[in-house]
Amino acid sequence: MARVLPILSTFLLCCALVSCQDSRDKLEGVDVEEVCADRPADEYFRLDTEGDCREVYRCDRGETGNTRLANIKCAGGLAFDITRQTCDWKSNVKNCDQIEKPRKVKPILKTDEPICPEGKLSCGDGECLDKELFCNGKPDCKDESDENACSVDDDPNRAPECDPTQCALPDCFCSADGTRIPGAIEPTQVPQMITITFNGAVNVDNIDLYEDIFNGQRQNPNGCSIKGTFFVSHKYTNYSAVQDLHRRGHEISVFSLTHKDDPNYWTSGSYDDWLAEMAGSRLIIERFANITDGSIIGMRAPYLRVGGNKQFEMMADQFFVYDASITASLGRVPIWPYTLYFRMPHKCNGNAHNCPSRSHPVWEMVMNELDRRDDPTFDESLPGCHMVDSCSNVASGDQFARLLRHNFNRHYNSNRAPLGLHFHASWLKSKKEYRDELIKFIEEMLTRNDVFFVTNLQVIQWMQNPTELNSLRDFQEWKEKCDVKGQPYCSLPNACPLTTRELPGETLRLFTCMECPNNYPWILDPTGDGFSV
C-alpha cells in the first residue's frame, strides 16, 4: 500500500464553504482578504497550529469576486502534511507546527521598466545575473531565487512557441494546440493507430496474458501481426521472455532499474540519477535479453513522475528517441505526439508539474487522458484517466468495453491522433472479463481496413513519413519483423540465483538465455560483473 495517501481519497469535506460552528468560531477576527493575498487558490494552509493537525483551508474566489475560505478536514487517524499538501498517517507528518508551505523567493522577471542591463535578469533581492544562469539547476543568486520560477511558463530560457517554418519533418513536429495532423493529410486518409503498452516486469505472472493478446494470428490490414510496446522494469523480469517478445517484433523500452517507490526521487532526480536508472536499465536489457540492434530507444518514468529538464538532457545525450510519461488533460480533440524542440502544446498536467521547459531533441509520446464516462451524452463531466487501470469507475467488463469504444470514436471521428491504451498487466488479469473484452475490441477493430495496432516507435515512423491509407500496405518502416515465425532463442533459460551487496539479505533469480553474471545487476553494478571503485 502506498504510504502517501492522495487528498481526494482521504479528505472528509467538513464544510465546502465554511459553515460548521467550530470553523466559524475559528474564523472570528480573521481578515480573509489579507490571509488570501497573493496565495495560490490550490494551496492548503492552517489558521493556527492548535488542534489535531487535520484541518486546513484554501482560498475560494467565488463568481461574485468575493473571497471565502473553503475548509477541508482529513479523515480520523490522519493529519495534513503542509509541505506535500496531502493527508497521511499522523506518524508520518512532521510539520504540524507549520502554518503554510515554505515560501520561496521569486526572481523579478516582469517589470514595466528594465531593472537590469540587456542579457541579464534580476534576482529576488535585485541582484542582476546573466539570463542563462536562471533555471540551470544550480542556485546562482544569493537568495537562490533564480531556481524558483522554472516551470514551462516561467523559465526565462524556455523553449520558443511552435514555429512551423522552423520545424519540419522528419526531425521536428509541432503545432500550436497539438491537434494538427502530420503532413496535413485529410483525417479520412489517416490510419487510426492504437498503441497497447504495458508497464513493469515481464515474468511468469503475465507472459500468458501477452501470449493470449499477441498470439500471432491477429493481423493489421497490411498483413503484419499486431504489435505492442513493453516498458520493462528490472526486478523480477525474465529476460529470456523479453528476448522472445523482441524477436517477435514487439518494442522493448525502459521503465527504470530500481523503480523506487519515493515519487520525489523521480521528480527531483539529478542528471546522474536518470542516467543510472534509464541507461542502466537499457544496458541490463541489452545484455541479458541479448538485444543488440540498438532498438531500445524509448522510456517511461515510474509513477509518470517526469524529471524535468534533467531527464530530457540525459535522454538526448544517451540517444533515447522518445519519452512516454507526460499526460494531456482530456480535451475535445486529442493531441498528436510532438517533438520538444518547441514548447509543449498543452498544460503540464500532473507529473508534479515538472515538465521540461527547455528545448530538447526528443519526441514526446503524449498520453491523452481517456474519457471514462459511462454515457458521454448524458453523464456530467469527469476528470480523465491516463492508465486504463486508473479509470477507477471501471468495475465490469461492460464498462471497460464502453470505455474502449467511446474513446476509439473520440479519436477516429476527430483528428485520428493515436489512441494509447496503457496497462499494468495485473489489472487485465484481475478479471477474466477485462482480458476478454480487450481481445474482442482488438478483433472488432481489425475487421476495418483503417485501424492498426502498432508500437510507439511505429507511430513516430509514420509521423516522420506521413503516408495515406491506400499506400500503407507497402509502408516499409512497418514491414520490419512483420510476421515472425520460428522458436524462442532458448527453451530452457538459465535461472541464476544471485545476490548483490546493494540488496543485502536478498537472493534473486535472473532468468536469461545468456551466461549468469557474478552478481545480481543493480544500480551501482548494472552488468553484474562486480563493483568498480
Side-chain angles (χ1 to χ4, degrees), residues 196-436:
I196 296 177
T197 77
F198 288 96
N199 297 352
V202 175
N203 54 37
V204 68
D205 290 338
N206 47 43
I207 291 171
D208 63 324
L209 173 71
Y210 304 148
E211 291 282 350
D212 204 2
I213 296 171
F214 304 106
N215 62 4
Q217 306 303 309
R218 301 185 178 101
Q219 293 191 337
N220 285 316
N222 62 351
C224 297
S225 56
I226 67 172
K227 302 292 193 287
T229 298
F230 295 82
F231 293 94
V232 179
S233 54
H234 170 49
K235 206 172 185 182
Y236 309 121
T237 279
N238 180 329
Y239 287 99
S240 66
V242 173
Q243 183 170 346
D244 200 52
L245 285 169
H246 174 259
R247 178 188 70 84
R248 290 159 57 191
H250 299 294
E251 183 184 10
I252 306 301
S253 297
V254 296
F255 196 45
S256 85
L257 197 159
T258 68
H259 205 273
K260 285 187 181 177
D261 62 2
D262 174 11
N264 289 325
Y265 170 75
W266 306 101
T267 303
S268 306
S270 67
Y271 179 99
D272 289 341
D273 290 333
W274 284 99
L275 178 68
E277 288 283 358
M278 297 303 178
S281 177
R282 177 167 63 183
L283 181 64
I284 290 171
I285 296 171
E286 289 179 335
R287 172 171 289 208
F288 297 106
N290 195 25
I291 296 176
T292 58
D293 58 4
S295 62
I296 305 175
I297 55 169
M299 56 167 277
R300 176 169 284 162
Y303 312 104
L304 306 183
R305 296 290 284 235
V306 178
N309 293 312
K310 296 296 180 211
Q311 173 192 331
F312 288 83
E313 287 165 13
M314 180 282 297
M315 291 181 68
D317 292 348
Q318 294 297 314
F319 304 104
F320 281 100
V321 171
Y322 75 84
D323 169 74
S325 315
I326 295 179
T327 60
S329 295
L330 182 62
R332 189 178 59 82
V333 180
I335 288 173
W336 277 85
Y338 50 85
T339 52
L340 284 162
Y341 288 107
F342 293 88
R343 285 184 71 184
M344 47 193 283
H346 58 93
K347 286 187 176 177
C348 182
N349 176 36
N351 312 313
H353 303 292
N354 198 17
C355 295
S357 58
R358 304 289 178 92
S359 178
H360 303 281
V362 174
W363 283 81
E364 182 56 47
M365 290 296 297
V366 61
M367 299 172 72
N368 284 293
E369 286 191 337
L370 300 169
D371 186 342
R372 59 194 174 102
R373 291 176 294 172
D374 259 6
D375 182 356
T377 62
F378 176 76
D379 289 350
E380 58 187 62
S381 182
L382 287 171
C385 43
H386 35 269
M387 300 290 295
V388 175
D389 32 311
S390 67
C391 301
S392 54
N393 61 316
V394 175
S396 69
D398 288 343
Q399 286 178 306
F400 181 36
R402 286 194 293 274
L403 174 105
L404 291 172
R405 285 163 183 79
H406 166 54
N407 283 283
F408 170 80
N409 289 329
R410 279 185 62 243
H411 286 245
Y412 184 82
N413 294 327
S414 57
N415 63 351
R416 297 202 181 177
L419 169 62
L421 301 175
H422 313 295
F423 299 95
H424 294 94
S426 55
W427 186 85
L428 276 175
K429 293 201 72 170
S430 65
K431 285 187 180 179
K432 186 175 183 296
E433 56 187 313
Y434 292 163
R435 182 197 310 211
D436 293 344

Side-chain angles (χ1 to χ4, degrees), residues 14-15 18-28:
C14 174
C15 327
V18 177
S19 60
C20 298
Q21 185 60 48
D22 55 348
S23 297
R24 280 204 303 269
D25 293 345
K26 190 174 285 190
L27 283 174
E28 284 188 13

